[in-house]
Amino acid sequence: MDKKLPDNTLPAALARNDPAAVEMLWERYADDLFAYLLVVLCSRHDAEDVLQTVFVKIAQKRNRLAKARHLDAYVFRIARNEASRFIEHRKRKRTAQAVNDTWLTVTEEQPEPIDLAEHIQAALARLPEQQREVVVMKIYRQKTFLEISRLLGLSQNTVSSRYRYGIEKLRTLLGDLIS
Amino acid sequence: MNEKDIESKQIEELLRKAHLPGPSPQLHERITIAAKNAWNQTETELSWLVPFGRLVASAAASILIIWLADYTSNCSLGQWSSGLARTVNRQPAEIEALPEIPYGPFVRSLVSDNRRSSMIDASALNNHVESLWHILDETLQNGLAEPSAPAGDRSLLIPNPSSDNPYS
């Protein structure tokens, strides 16, 4: 999470019922939540919609949020619930996610950047959701296992073992690219 | 470091060549507007309202459960209770008559008090009936009773005051 804000600034703004807390929430959580939703939903468009729902929910539940013992975990719990609800909704309506939806990009210096992005995206999409979220938080958001365990409400051992299994599976899926 | 670890490192490096896009400025604007609207539309919850609501709901639920239990009990036992003779099992109330209770004197005295309070006070009932007889007797002697009625035609429902009082 963004550490630009002191830890008590956001809860204090929430407790004061100060609308400026919305901007603080964005500064602190938007990047992490968006990354999380991208890899869980595997669709940029869906991630944007769900992120909006998450922020609206946070605004509505601001009083509970102000009293939450672990603010980051509470916010992430809202995001996880909304993502699960969205996936259920997608299953019920039998609408598959957009096949050509690109949610991972590669820097231009790489040779054949599009292909590499597609390969990595496809490989990540084949991971179980629990492993995928840990791998992405670790690799792309530079979180430690301790931070991930706090965010997801899991033990550190569980997080590290999920990461290990995820990397092993990616080694099988992307082995051709590293050889 | 074995081959497996080396390959894992290589996979991590490969994954790091890609990156996840952040939210766009348009998305930022759209979401903050939506969140601020939701913020303004949502009433601030009163802090005591939620626990109070829960308390009321649990009290109402407990009353409903008790009422339902009472109602079903009455329904199920009603067929046996109507029209049948009731048997009263009278238990001794004196402390000396409570040898079956394997506890100390304090518990025995509690049990004794409890049983005594649930018993009908026979002497009080007797006094009450006697006072009723007395009032009735006085009323008859004062001539308020029907004067034309012969003694033989006296209603059998009214007992003769001179007869033996079963309660005396």
Side-chain angles (χ1 to χ4, degrees), chain A residues 17-18 23 26 31 34 44 49 52 62-63 103 105 136 140 163 171, chain B residues 4 7 12 15 17-21 23 28 30 35 39 42 44-45:
Chain A
N17 203 25
D18 183 1
E23 285 295 339
W26 180 269
D31 287 346
F34 190 61
R44 186 174 182 131
D49 285 349
Q52 179 169 334
R62 57 187 180 273
N63 283 332
W103 47 271
T105 53
V136 166
Y140 295 115
Y163 179 78
R171 201 154 44 88
Chain B
K4 200 173 164 184
E7 282 185 6
E12 287 178 2
L15 290 173
K17 287 178 183 171
H19 68 271
L20 287 168
H28 174 201
R30 190 182 100 193
W39 187 288
T42 313
T44 311
E45 287 176 358

PDB file of all heavy atoms in Angstrom, chain A residues 17-18 23 26 31 34 44 49 52 62-63 103 105 136 140 163 171, chain B residues 4 7 12 15 17-21 23 28 30 35 39 42 44-45:
ATOM      1  N   ASN A  17     -15.832  12.089   8.767  1.00  0.00           N
ATOM      2  CA  ASN A  17     -16.783  12.130   7.659  1.00  0.00           C
ATOM      3  C   ASN A  17     -16.353  13.178   6.626  1.00  0.00           C
ATOM      4  O   ASN A  17     -17.187  13.870   6.049  1.00  0.00           O
ATOM      5  CB  ASN A  17     -18.192  12.414   8.198  1.00  0.00           C
ATOM      6  CG  ASN A  17     -19.262  11.930   7.250  1.00  0.00           C
ATOM      7  OD1 ASN A  17     -19.023  11.025   6.456  1.00  0.00           O
ATOM      8  ND2 ASN A  17     -20.427  12.543   7.308  1.00  0.00           N
ATOM      9  N   ASP A  18     -15.052  13.245   6.404  1.00  0.00           N
ATOM     10  CA  ASP A  18     -14.481  14.230   5.499  1.00  0.00           C
ATOM     11  C   ASP A  18     -14.416  13.637   4.079  1.00  0.00           C
ATOM     12  O   ASP A  18     -13.755  12.619   3.870  1.00  0.00           O
ATOM     13  CB  ASP A  18     -13.065  14.566   6.000  1.00  0.00           C
ATOM     14  CG  ASP A  18     -12.405  15.637   5.156  1.00  0.00           C
ATOM     15  OD1 ASP A  18     -13.048  16.115   4.203  1.00  0.00           O
ATOM     16  OD2 ASP A  18     -11.258  15.992   5.461  1.00  0.00           O
ATOM     17  N   GLU A  23     -10.110  10.840  -1.911  1.00  0.00           N
ATOM     18  CA  GLU A  23      -8.827  11.006  -2.609  1.00  0.00           C
ATOM     19  C   GLU A  23      -7.711  10.248  -1.885  1.00  0.00           C
ATOM     20  O   GLU A  23      -6.838   9.660  -2.517  1.00  0.00           O
ATOM     21  CB  GLU A  23      -8.455  12.494  -2.717  1.00  0.00           C
ATOM     22  CG  GLU A  23      -9.259  13.258  -3.747  1.00  0.00           C
ATOM     23  CD  GLU A  23      -9.005  12.794  -5.184  1.00  0.00           C
ATOM     24  OE1 GLU A  23      -7.958  12.176  -5.429  1.00  0.00           O
ATOM     25  OE2 GLU A  23      -9.870  13.029  -6.040  1.00  0.00           O
ATOM     26  N   TRP A  26      -7.984   6.699  -2.718  1.00  0.00           N
ATOM     27  CA  TRP A  26      -7.483   6.438  -4.069  1.00  0.00           C
ATOM     28  C   TRP A  26      -5.961   6.380  -4.064  1.00  0.00           C
ATOM     29  O   TRP A  26      -5.372   5.460  -4.617  1.00  0.00           O
ATOM     30  CB  TRP A  26      -7.983   7.525  -5.032  1.00  0.00           C
ATOM     31  CG  TRP A  26      -7.487   7.276  -6.416  1.00  0.00           C
ATOM     32  CD1 TRP A  26      -6.340   7.742  -6.966  1.00  0.00           C
ATOM     33  CD2 TRP A  26      -8.114   6.465  -7.403  1.00  0.00           C
ATOM     34  NE1 TRP A  26      -6.202   7.266  -8.245  1.00  0.00           N
ATOM     35  CE2 TRP A  26      -7.278   6.482  -8.547  1.00  0.00           C
ATOM     36  CE3 TRP A  26      -9.288   5.717  -7.435  1.00  0.00           C
ATOM     37  CZ2 TRP A  26      -7.579   5.788  -9.703  1.00  0.00           C
ATOM     38  CZ3 TRP A  26      -9.595   5.034  -8.603  1.00  0.00           C
ATOM     39  CH2 TRP A  26      -8.751   5.063  -9.706  1.00  0.00           C
ATOM     40  N   ASP A  31      -3.869   1.574  -6.945  1.00  0.00           N
ATOM     41  CA  ASP A  31      -2.946   0.765  -7.752  1.00  0.00           C
ATOM     42  C   ASP A  31      -2.988  -0.710  -7.355  1.00  0.00           C
ATOM     43  O   ASP A  31      -3.066  -1.588  -8.216  1.00  0.00           O
ATOM     44  CB  ASP A  31      -1.516   1.302  -7.603  1.00  0.00           C
ATOM     45  CG  ASP A  31      -1.336   2.623  -8.340  1.00  0.00           C
ATOM     46  OD1 ASP A  31      -2.214   2.960  -9.155  1.00  0.00           O
ATOM     47  OD2 ASP A  31      -0.343   3.319  -8.080  1.00  0.00           O
ATOM     48  N   PHE A  34      -6.384  -2.269  -8.227  1.00  0.00           N
ATOM     49  CA  PHE A  34      -6.551  -2.445  -9.671  1.00  0.00           C
ATOM     50  C   PHE A  34      -5.728  -3.636 -10.165  1.00  0.00           C
ATOM     51  O   PHE A  34      -6.210  -4.444 -10.968  1.00  0.00           O
ATOM     52  CB  PHE A  34      -6.156  -1.153 -10.391  1.00  0.00           C
ATOM     53  CG  PHE A  34      -6.525  -1.143 -11.847  1.00  0.00           C
ATOM     54  CD1 PHE A  34      -7.854  -1.257 -12.236  1.00  0.00           C
ATOM     55  CD2 PHE A  34      -5.559  -1.030 -12.832  1.00  0.00           C
ATOM     56  CE1 PHE A  34      -8.212  -1.253 -13.579  1.00  0.00           C
ATOM     57  CE2 PHE A  34      -5.909  -1.023 -14.178  1.00  0.00           C
ATOM     58  CZ  PHE A  34      -7.233  -1.131 -14.544  1.00  0.00           C
ATOM     59  N   ARG A  44      -9.444  -6.009 -18.291  1.00  0.00           N
ATOM     60  CA  ARG A  44      -9.250  -4.617 -17.867  1.00  0.00           C
ATOM     61  C   ARG A  44     -10.592  -3.917 -17.664  1.00  0.00           C
ATOM     62  O   ARG A  44     -10.786  -3.190 -16.689  1.00  0.00           O
ATOM     63  CB  ARG A  44      -8.420  -3.891 -18.932  1.00  0.00           C
ATOM     64  CG  ARG A  44      -8.075  -2.509 -18.494  1.00  0.00           C
ATOM     65  CD  ARG A  44      -7.143  -1.812 -19.455  1.00  0.00           C
ATOM     66  NE  ARG A  44      -6.856  -0.505 -18.891  1.00  0.00           N
ATOM     67  CZ  ARG A  44      -5.663   0.026 -18.759  1.00  0.00           C
ATOM     68  NH1 ARG A  44      -4.618  -0.632 -19.149  1.00  0.00           N
ATOM     69  NH2 ARG A  44      -5.505   1.215 -18.229  1.00  0.00           N
ATOM     70  N   ASP A  49     -14.709  -1.672 -13.814  1.00  0.00           N
ATOM     71  CA  ASP A  49     -16.084  -1.634 -13.271  1.00  0.00           C
ATOM     72  C   ASP A  49     -16.118  -2.050 -11.798  1.00  0.00           C
ATOM     73  O   ASP A  49     -16.774  -1.425 -10.969  1.00  0.00           O
ATOM     74  CB  ASP A  49     -16.999  -2.563 -14.091  1.00  0.00           C
ATOM     75  CG  ASP A  49     -17.342  -1.955 -15.432  1.00  0.00           C
ATOM     76  OD1 ASP A  49     -17.048  -0.755 -15.630  1.00  0.00           O
ATOM     77  OD2 ASP A  49     -17.890  -2.673 -16.289  1.00  0.00           O
ATOM     78  N   GLN A  52     -14.664   0.492  -9.418  1.00  0.00           N
ATOM     79  CA  GLN A  52     -15.626   1.558  -9.105  1.00  0.00           C
ATOM     80  C   GLN A  52     -16.619   1.086  -8.027  1.00  0.00           C
ATOM     81  O   GLN A  52     -16.901   1.817  -7.075  1.00  0.00           O
ATOM     82  CB  GLN A  52     -16.393   1.970 -10.367  1.00  0.00           C
ATOM     83  CG  GLN A  52     -17.417   3.046 -10.095  1.00  0.00           C
ATOM     84  CD  GLN A  52     -17.984   3.642 -11.362  1.00  0.00           C
ATOM     85  OE1 GLN A  52     -17.339   3.619 -12.395  1.00  0.00           O
ATOM     86  NE2 GLN A  52     -19.179   4.197 -11.276  1.00  0.00           N
ATOM     87  N   ARG A  62     -18.023   3.750   5.224  1.00  0.00           N
ATOM     88  CA  ARG A  62     -16.890   4.490   5.785  1.00  0.00           C
ATOM     89  C   ARG A  62     -16.834   4.469   7.311  1.00  0.00           C
ATOM     90  O   ARG A  62     -15.762   4.503   7.893  1.00  0.00           O
ATOM     91  CB  ARG A  62     -16.912   5.932   5.294  1.00  0.00           C
ATOM     92  CG  ARG A  62     -18.184   6.692   5.594  1.00  0.00           C
ATOM     93  CD  ARG A  62     -18.156   8.049   4.917  1.00  0.00           C
ATOM     94  NE  ARG A  62     -19.347   8.830   5.163  1.00  0.00           N
ATOM     95  CZ  ARG A  62     -20.446   8.766   4.432  1.00  0.00           C
ATOM     96  NH1 ARG A  62     -20.498   7.920   3.418  1.00  0.00           N
ATOM     97  NH2 ARG A  62     -21.491   9.515   4.711  1.00  0.00           N
ATOM     98  N   ASN A  63     -18.009   4.369   7.938  1.00  0.00           N
ATOM     99  CA  ASN A  63     -17.997   4.349   9.413  1.00  0.00           C
ATOM    100  C   ASN A  63     -17.366   3.081   9.952  1.00  0.00           C
ATOM    101  O   ASN A  63     -16.603   3.108  10.912  1.00  0.00           O
ATOM    102  CB  ASN A  63     -19.414   4.488   9.950  1.00  0.00           C
ATOM    103  CG  ASN A  63     -19.903   5.905   9.860  1.00  0.00           C
ATOM    104  OD1 ASN A  63     -19.100   6.829   9.905  1.00  0.00           O
ATOM    105  ND2 ASN A  63     -21.195   6.090   9.701  1.00  0.00           N
ATOM    106  N   TRP A 103      -4.461  -7.303 -20.464  1.00  0.00           N
ATOM    107  CA  TRP A 103      -4.344  -6.680 -19.148  1.00  0.00           C
ATOM    108  C   TRP A 103      -2.904  -6.701 -18.639  1.00  0.00           C
ATOM    109  O   TRP A 103      -2.643  -6.307 -17.518  1.00  0.00           O
ATOM    110  CB  TRP A 103      -5.295  -7.333 -18.137  1.00  0.00           C
ATOM    111  CG  TRP A 103      -5.291  -8.829 -18.121  1.00  0.00           C
ATOM    112  CD1 TRP A 103      -6.078  -9.625 -18.892  1.00  0.00           C
ATOM    113  CD2 TRP A 103      -4.470  -9.686 -17.338  1.00  0.00           C
ATOM    114  NE1 TRP A 103      -5.798 -10.942 -18.629  1.00  0.00           N
ATOM    115  CE2 TRP A 103      -4.819 -11.003 -17.668  1.00  0.00           C
ATOM    116  CE3 TRP A 103      -3.480  -9.472 -16.380  1.00  0.00           C
ATOM    117  CZ2 TRP A 103      -4.214 -12.103 -17.085  1.00  0.00           C
ATOM    118  CZ3 TRP A 103      -2.875 -10.580 -15.784  1.00  0.00           C
ATOM    119  CH2 TRP A 103      -3.248 -11.869 -16.155  1.00  0.00           C
ATOM    120  N   THR A 105       1.127  -5.693 -19.968  1.00  0.00           N
ATOM    121  CA  THR A 105       1.902  -5.055 -21.043  1.00  0.00           C
ATOM    122  C   THR A 105       3.387  -5.313 -20.830  1.00  0.00           C
ATOM    123  O   THR A 105       3.822  -5.577 -19.702  1.00  0.00           O
ATOM    124  CB  THR A 105       1.660  -3.534 -21.067  1.00  0.00           C
ATOM    125  OG1 THR A 105       1.915  -3.022 -19.763  1.00  0.00           O
ATOM    126  CG2 THR A 105       0.258  -3.194 -21.496  1.00  0.00           C
ATOM    127  N   VAL A 136       1.145 -12.334  -8.389  1.00  0.00           N
ATOM    128  CA  VAL A 136       1.054 -10.969  -8.916  1.00  0.00           C
ATOM    129  C   VAL A 136       1.397  -9.936  -7.844  1.00  0.00           C
ATOM    130  O   VAL A 136       2.118  -8.966  -8.116  1.00  0.00           O
ATOM    131  CB  VAL A 136      -0.354 -10.729  -9.512  1.00  0.00           C
ATOM    132  CG1 VAL A 136      -0.600  -9.253  -9.744  1.00  0.00           C
ATOM    133  CG2 VAL A 136      -0.476 -11.485 -10.812  1.00  0.00           C
ATOM    134  N   TYR A 140       4.556  -8.112  -9.221  1.00  0.00           N
ATOM    135  CA  TYR A 140       4.201  -6.830  -9.849  1.00  0.00           C
ATOM    136  C   TYR A 140       3.903  -5.706  -8.857  1.00  0.00           C
ATOM    137  O   TYR A 140       3.889  -4.546  -9.245  1.00  0.00           O
ATOM    138  CB  TYR A 140       2.996  -7.020 -10.778  1.00  0.00           C
ATOM    139  CG  TYR A 140       3.324  -7.922 -11.944  1.00  0.00           C
ATOM    140  CD1 TYR A 140       2.701  -9.151 -12.088  1.00  0.00           C
ATOM    141  CD2 TYR A 140       4.268  -7.546 -12.873  1.00  0.00           C
ATOM    142  CE1 TYR A 140       3.016  -9.990 -13.135  1.00  0.00           C
ATOM    143  CE2 TYR A 140       4.601  -8.376 -13.925  1.00  0.00           C
ATOM    144  CZ  TYR A 140       3.972  -9.604 -14.057  1.00  0.00           C
ATOM    145  OH  TYR A 140       4.312 -10.427 -15.083  1.00  0.00           O
ATOM    146  N   TYR A 163       2.852 -19.227  -3.417  1.00  0.00           N
ATOM    147  CA  TYR A 163       3.765 -18.591  -4.363  1.00  0.00           C
ATOM    148  C   TYR A 163       4.674 -19.640  -5.012  1.00  0.00           C
ATOM    149  O   TYR A 163       4.872 -19.656  -6.222  1.00  0.00           O
ATOM    150  CB  TYR A 163       4.602 -17.527  -3.643  1.00  0.00           C
ATOM    151  CG  TYR A 163       5.602 -16.833  -4.524  1.00  0.00           C
ATOM    152  CD1 TYR A 163       5.200 -15.834  -5.406  1.00  0.00           C
ATOM    153  CD2 TYR A 163       6.947 -17.172  -4.487  1.00  0.00           C
ATOM    154  CE1 TYR A 163       6.114 -15.198  -6.236  1.00  0.00           C
ATOM    155  CE2 TYR A 163       7.868 -16.549  -5.309  1.00  0.00           C
ATOM    156  CZ  TYR A 163       7.442 -15.559  -6.180  1.00  0.00           C
ATOM    157  OH  TYR A 163       8.349 -14.940  -7.001  1.00  0.00           O
ATOM    158  N   ARG A 171       6.761 -22.309 -14.322  1.00  0.00           N
ATOM    159  CA  ARG A 171       8.005 -22.864 -14.899  1.00  0.00           C
ATOM    160  C   ARG A 171       7.650 -23.909 -15.963  1.00  0.00           C
ATOM    161  O   ARG A 171       8.299 -24.005 -17.004  1.00  0.00           O
ATOM    162  CB  ARG A 171       8.831 -23.489 -13.773  1.00  0.00           C
ATOM    163  CG  ARG A 171      10.293 -23.658 -14.081  1.00  0.00           C
ATOM    164  CD  ARG A 171      11.122 -23.666 -12.815  1.00  0.00           C
ATOM    165  NE  ARG A 171      10.547 -24.472 -11.754  1.00  0.00           N
ATOM    166  CZ  ARG A 171      10.768 -25.771 -11.590  1.00  0.00           C
ATOM    167  NH1 ARG A 171      11.535 -26.416 -12.432  1.00  0.00           N
ATOM    168  NH2 ARG A 171      10.232 -26.424 -10.589  1.00  0.00           N
TER     169      ARG A 171
ATOM    170  N   LYS B   4      16.476 -26.223 -10.178  1.00  0.00           N
ATOM    171  CA  LYS B   4      15.081 -25.819 -10.001  1.00  0.00           C
ATOM    172  C   LYS B   4      14.989 -24.358  -9.533  1.00  0.00           C
ATOM    173  O   LYS B   4      14.172 -23.574 -10.027  1.00  0.00           O
ATOM    174  CB  LYS B   4      14.456 -26.743  -8.940  1.00  0.00           C
ATOM    175  CG  LYS B   4      12.955 -26.790  -8.958  1.00  0.00           C
ATOM    176  CD  LYS B   4      12.505 -27.866  -7.966  1.00  0.00           C
ATOM    177  CE  LYS B   4      11.059 -27.726  -7.638  1.00  0.00           C
ATOM    178  NZ  LYS B   4      10.657 -28.705  -6.602  1.00  0.00           N
ATOM    179  N   GLU B   7      15.873 -21.993 -12.345  1.00  0.00           N
ATOM    180  CA  GLU B   7      14.755 -21.832 -13.284  1.00  0.00           C
ATOM    181  C   GLU B   7      13.667 -20.942 -12.682  1.00  0.00           C
ATOM    182  O   GLU B   7      13.053 -20.129 -13.375  1.00  0.00           O
ATOM    183  CB  GLU B   7      14.172 -23.200 -13.649  1.00  0.00           C
ATOM    184  CG  GLU B   7      15.017 -23.941 -14.665  1.00  0.00           C
ATOM    185  CD  GLU B   7      14.372 -25.233 -15.098  1.00  0.00           C
ATOM    186  OE1 GLU B   7      13.220 -25.489 -14.699  1.00  0.00           O
ATOM    187  OE2 GLU B   7      15.020 -25.999 -15.816  1.00  0.00           O
ATOM    188  N   GLU B  12      10.902 -15.697 -12.590  1.00  0.00           N
ATOM    189  CA  GLU B  12      10.594 -14.415 -11.934  1.00  0.00           C
ATOM    190  C   GLU B  12      11.101 -13.243 -12.774  1.00  0.00           C
ATOM    191  O   GLU B  12      10.410 -12.239 -12.938  1.00  0.00           O
ATOM    192  CB  GLU B  12      11.210 -14.376 -10.535  1.00  0.00           C
ATOM    193  CG  GLU B  12      10.479 -15.259  -9.537  1.00  0.00           C
ATOM    194  CD  GLU B  12      11.129 -15.253  -8.162  1.00  0.00           C
ATOM    195  OE1 GLU B  12      12.125 -14.533  -7.978  1.00  0.00           O
ATOM    196  OE2 GLU B  12      10.634 -15.980  -7.284  1.00  0.00           O
ATOM    197  N   LEU B  15       8.824 -12.826 -15.736  1.00  0.00           N
ATOM    198  CA  LEU B  15       7.554 -12.189 -15.355  1.00  0.00           C
ATOM    199  C   LEU B  15       7.743 -10.684 -15.150  1.00  0.00           C
ATOM    200  O   LEU B  15       6.864  -9.891 -15.476  1.00  0.00           O
ATOM    201  CB  LEU B  15       7.007 -12.814 -14.062  1.00  0.00           C
ATOM    202  CG  LEU B  15       6.494 -14.248 -14.156  1.00  0.00           C
ATOM    203  CD1 LEU B  15       6.154 -14.775 -12.768  1.00  0.00           C
ATOM    204  CD2 LEU B  15       5.264 -14.335 -15.046  1.00  0.00           C
ATOM    205  N   LYS B  17       9.569  -8.738 -16.759  1.00  0.00           N
ATOM    206  CA  LYS B  17       9.661  -7.995 -18.019  1.00  0.00           C
ATOM    207  C   LYS B  17       8.313  -7.387 -18.402  1.00  0.00           C
ATOM    208  O   LYS B  17       8.248  -6.440 -19.172  1.00  0.00           O
ATOM    209  CB  LYS B  17      10.145  -8.934 -19.142  1.00  0.00           C
ATOM    210  CG  LYS B  17      11.613  -9.276 -19.032  1.00  0.00           C
ATOM    211  CD  LYS B  17      12.015 -10.241 -20.119  1.00  0.00           C
ATOM    212  CE  LYS B  17      13.481 -10.637 -19.947  1.00  0.00           C
ATOM    213  NZ  LYS B  17      13.854 -11.734 -20.857  1.00  0.00           N
ATOM    214  N   ALA B  18       7.282  -7.990 -17.896  1.00  0.00           N
ATOM    215  CA  ALA B  18       5.942  -7.441 -18.141  1.00  0.00           C
ATOM    216  C   ALA B  18       5.531  -6.601 -16.935  1.00  0.00           C
ATOM    217  O   ALA B  18       6.151  -6.664 -15.873  1.00  0.00           O
ATOM    218  CB  ALA B  18       4.951  -8.579 -18.344  1.00  0.00           C
ATOM    219  N   HIS B  19       4.539  -5.805 -17.129  1.00  0.00           N
ATOM    220  CA  HIS B  19       4.017  -5.061 -15.968  1.00  0.00           C
ATOM    221  C   HIS B  19       2.515  -4.848 -16.124  1.00  0.00           C
ATOM    222  O   HIS B  19       1.976  -4.872 -17.247  1.00  0.00           O
ATOM    223  CB  HIS B  19       4.760  -3.733 -15.785  1.00  0.00           C
ATOM    224  CG  HIS B  19       4.507  -2.741 -16.867  1.00  0.00           C
ATOM    225  ND1 HIS B  19       5.266  -2.679 -18.003  1.00  0.00           N
ATOM    226  CD2 HIS B  19       3.565  -1.780 -16.983  1.00  0.00           C
ATOM    227  CE1 HIS B  19       4.822  -1.717 -18.782  1.00  0.00           C
ATOM    228  NE2 HIS B  19       3.775  -1.156 -18.187  1.00  0.00           N
ATOM    229  N   LEU B  20       1.909  -4.635 -14.989  1.00  0.00           N
ATOM    230  CA  LEU B  20       0.462  -4.410 -14.982  1.00  0.00           C
ATOM    231  C   LEU B  20       0.196  -2.920 -15.140  1.00  0.00           C
ATOM    232  O   LEU B  20       0.841  -2.108 -14.483  1.00  0.00           O
ATOM    233  CB  LEU B  20      -0.138  -4.887 -13.649  1.00  0.00           C
ATOM    234  CG  LEU B  20      -0.223  -6.387 -13.446  1.00  0.00           C
ATOM    235  CD1 LEU B  20      -0.544  -6.682 -12.001  1.00  0.00           C
ATOM    236  CD2 LEU B  20      -1.264  -6.993 -14.353  1.00  0.00           C
ATOM    237  N   PRO B  21      -0.736  -2.559 -15.999  1.00  0.00           N
ATOM    238  CA  PRO B  21      -1.045  -1.135 -16.142  1.00  0.00           C
ATOM    239  C   PRO B  21      -1.759  -0.623 -14.897  1.00  0.00           C
ATOM    240  O   PRO B  21      -2.505  -1.350 -14.237  1.00  0.00           O
ATOM    241  CB  PRO B  21      -1.976  -1.102 -17.359  1.00  0.00           C
ATOM    242  CG  PRO B  21      -2.593  -2.454 -17.403  1.00  0.00           C
ATOM    243  CD  PRO B  21      -1.579  -3.400 -16.851  1.00  0.00           C
ATOM    244  N   PRO B  23      -4.367   2.302 -13.045  1.00  0.00           N
ATOM    245  CA  PRO B  23      -5.639   2.912 -13.453  1.00  0.00           C
ATOM    246  C   PRO B  23      -5.391   4.226 -14.186  1.00  0.00           C
ATOM    247  O   PRO B  23      -4.510   4.998 -13.807  1.00  0.00           O
ATOM    248  CB  PRO B  23      -6.370   3.138 -12.122  1.00  0.00           C
ATOM    249  CG  PRO B  23      -5.333   3.047 -11.074  1.00  0.00           C
ATOM    250  CD  PRO B  23      -4.208   2.243 -11.596  1.00  0.00           C
ATOM    251  N   HIS B  28      -9.685   7.334 -12.750  1.00  0.00           N
ATOM    252  CA  HIS B  28      -9.554   8.023 -11.469  1.00  0.00           C
ATOM    253  C   HIS B  28     -10.697   9.026 -11.285  1.00  0.00           C
ATOM    254  O   HIS B  28     -11.382   9.050 -10.267  1.00  0.00           O
ATOM    255  CB  HIS B  28      -8.184   8.716 -11.409  1.00  0.00           C
ATOM    256  CG  HIS B  28      -7.994   9.564 -10.193  1.00  0.00           C
ATOM    257  ND1 HIS B  28      -7.071  10.567 -10.137  1.00  0.00           N
ATOM    258  CD2 HIS B  28      -8.610   9.575  -8.987  1.00  0.00           C
ATOM    259  CE1 HIS B  28      -7.116  11.153  -8.954  1.00  0.00           C
ATOM    260  NE2 HIS B  28      -8.051  10.579  -8.239  1.00  0.00           N
ATOM    261  N   ARG B  30     -13.558   9.220 -12.945  1.00  0.00           N
ATOM    262  CA  ARG B  30     -14.876   8.569 -12.924  1.00  0.00           C
ATOM    263  C   ARG B  30     -15.172   7.960 -11.545  1.00  0.00           C
ATOM    264  O   ARG B  30     -16.263   8.130 -10.992  1.00  0.00           O
ATOM    265  CB  ARG B  30     -14.876   7.467 -13.996  1.00  0.00           C
ATOM    266  CG  ARG B  30     -16.230   6.860 -14.259  1.00  0.00           C
ATOM    267  CD  ARG B  30     -16.102   5.757 -15.306  1.00  0.00           C
ATOM    268  NE  ARG B  30     -16.081   4.445 -14.702  1.00  0.00           N
ATOM    269  CZ  ARG B  30     -15.739   3.316 -15.332  1.00  0.00           C
ATOM    270  NH1 ARG B  30     -15.357   3.358 -16.593  1.00  0.00           N
ATOM    271  NH2 ARG B  30     -15.772   2.149 -14.722  1.00  0.00           N
ATOM    272  N   ALA B  35     -17.649   7.768  -6.146  1.00  0.00           N
ATOM    273  CA  ALA B  35     -17.471   7.539  -4.702  1.00  0.00           C
ATOM    274  C   ALA B  35     -17.938   8.748  -3.885  1.00  0.00           C
ATOM    275  O   ALA B  35     -18.557   8.591  -2.818  1.00  0.00           O
ATOM    276  CB  ALA B  35     -16.009   7.230  -4.400  1.00  0.00           C
ATOM    277  N   TRP B  39     -20.793   8.937  -1.193  1.00  0.00           N
ATOM    278  CA  TRP B  39     -20.462   9.501   0.124  1.00  0.00           C
ATOM    279  C   TRP B  39     -21.544  10.493   0.569  1.00  0.00           C
ATOM    280  O   TRP B  39     -22.017  10.457   1.707  1.00  0.00           O
ATOM    281  CB  TRP B  39     -19.116  10.219   0.028  1.00  0.00           C
ATOM    282  CG  TRP B  39     -18.566  10.713   1.311  1.00  0.00           C
ATOM    283  CD1 TRP B  39     -19.008  11.768   2.049  1.00  0.00           C
ATOM    284  CD2 TRP B  39     -17.457  10.165   2.038  1.00  0.00           C
ATOM    285  NE1 TRP B  39     -18.247  11.919   3.173  1.00  0.00           N
ATOM    286  CE2 TRP B  39     -17.282  10.952   3.196  1.00  0.00           C
ATOM    287  CE3 TRP B  39     -16.591   9.102   1.805  1.00  0.00           C
ATOM    288  CZ2 TRP B  39     -16.280  10.695   4.119  1.00  0.00           C
ATOM    289  CZ3 TRP B  39     -15.588   8.862   2.727  1.00  0.00           C
ATOM    290  CH2 TRP B  39     -15.450   9.651   3.863  1.00  0.00           C
ATOM    291  N   THR B  42     -25.069   8.746   1.171  1.00  0.00           N
ATOM    292  CA  THR B  42     -25.191   7.825   2.304  1.00  0.00           C
ATOM    293  C   THR B  42     -25.253   8.614   3.597  1.00  0.00           C
ATOM    294  O   THR B  42     -24.370   9.420   3.883  1.00  0.00           O
ATOM    295  CB  THR B  42     -23.988   6.862   2.349  1.00  0.00           C
ATOM    296  OG1 THR B  42     -23.792   6.349   1.051  1.00  0.00           O
ATOM    297  CG2 THR B  42     -24.237   5.726   3.313  1.00  0.00           C
ATOM    298  N   THR B  44     -24.873   9.266   7.418  1.00  0.00           N
ATOM    299  CA  THR B  44     -23.919   8.771   8.407  1.00  0.00           C
ATOM    300  C   THR B  44     -24.661   7.877   9.393  1.00  0.00           C
ATOM    301  O   THR B  44     -25.657   8.290   9.972  1.00  0.00           O
ATOM    302  CB  THR B  44     -23.295   9.941   9.180  1.00  0.00           C
ATOM    303  OG1 THR B  44     -22.852  10.895   8.232  1.00  0.00           O
ATOM    304  CG2 THR B  44     -22.141   9.490  10.034  1.00  0.00           C
ATOM    305  N   GLU B  45     -24.195   6.675   9.503  1.00  0.00           N
ATOM    306  CA  GLU B  45     -24.852   5.747  10.428  1.00  0.00           C
ATOM    307  C   GLU B  45     -24.601   6.190  11.863  1.00  0.00           C
ATOM    308  O   GLU B  45     -23.476   6.501  12.223  1.00  0.00           O
ATOM    309  CB  GLU B  45     -24.267   4.347  10.254  1.00  0.00           C
ATOM    310  CG  GLU B  45     -24.695   3.678   8.978  1.00  0.00           C
ATOM    311  CD  GLU B  45     -23.999   2.349   8.819  1.00  0.00           C
ATOM    312  OE1 GLU B  45     -23.181   2.006   9.694  1.00  0.00           O
ATOM    313  OE2 GLU B  45     -24.264   1.678   7.829  1.00  0.00           O
TER     314      GLU B  45
END
